[in-house]
Amino acid sequence: MPVLSYLHQLFNVDQCQAYIHTLRWKDRPLQCPRCQSHHVGPWGTYHYQPGLKRYRCKEKDCKRTFNDLTNTMLHQSKRSLSHWILATFLLCLACSSRRIARELGVRHRTSYRWCWWLRNAALSYEMQRQLEGTVEADDLYHTAGNKGQAQGGGKKSLGRRARGRRKKREPGRGHYDKDRPAIIAWVSRQGAVVIHATRDFTVKTVQKAANLAVQAGNRLYTDSASSYRAVKGYVHAYVNHTQKEYARGDVHENRAECLFSLLKPYLRVFRGISKLNLPGYVGFFQFLRNFRQLNAFEQAELILQAALDPAIARRAKKGELVTCFDHFDLLQTGRLREARLLSPPRLRTGREVG
Ligand SMILES: [Zn+2]
């Protein structure tokens, strides 16, 4: 459906409420969020949030009241539902949190928090994704430093010269410790994709990523990097880029390379990202890519539906749904605390001190 048919609903409080009500109780009948009883009835409204209906549990030892937003991501938010719906829509159009703050008229701190919660909620659709059929793989190294990680807010002393965004990188493979983590893309020729942000590109990491992303026994096409050649459990073929071989009959990885040509401009919008947040951004891009046959508002609807599920909302706020660096070879290096990712993402500004 075209966006216009959704947009006009945003200006009507009652329609927003009805929309959220439908999404909240889509998969389950109206029930008490505390004792799961279906024995509930209406119980007036709230004066501070027009349109929001209140219900009361009629169970003898419960008798608590609740509403459509209880225990969801939108619970106790001071902003209206139109704010939330529009923010989710803009997020699916690949807007940055600063842009969303400007369009919505909320503080950047607010929109930044919302963006991460919503991105994490979207990841609930990507948790179990495993690819089948012929799968292509490729790797990329993305510059990601410590943006926004200054202790106590304000400007941080880098301890090095500023990187200069357009400066040439040193040649060779990147590494998390060199501020260039690896991104591995797995693209099925049936359409689905899985993208991993990893610390490095060792055989062990690639094997682990492959096991997560691709069902065993499938066909795997890559370039001639030695880490791919060592991967076990798949029917593997590769093209040799150093010999200017980019396709050999059916064997090529052009889809994976094409995916990177889409991922790079997507990440550029954020003007440099923190390596701690990289898995979150990449994961959300994976969601957008896997639901690319939907328009932005339909994608937003999926995210809102997840955000209105109390179980998902709780985990999304803590950032538990991200496939983070922890999943890749971190336990031995003792850097687990450093890579404590997105739980919750910290945005420090000068004003926040004290
Ligand atoms: Zn109850």
Side-chain angles (χ1 to χ4, degrees), residues 32 34-37 57 59 62-64:
C32 171
R34 290 175 185 100
C35 67
Q36 269 65 41
S37 163
C57 179
E59 216 56 50
C62 185
K63 299 276 187 202
R64 303 278 296 267

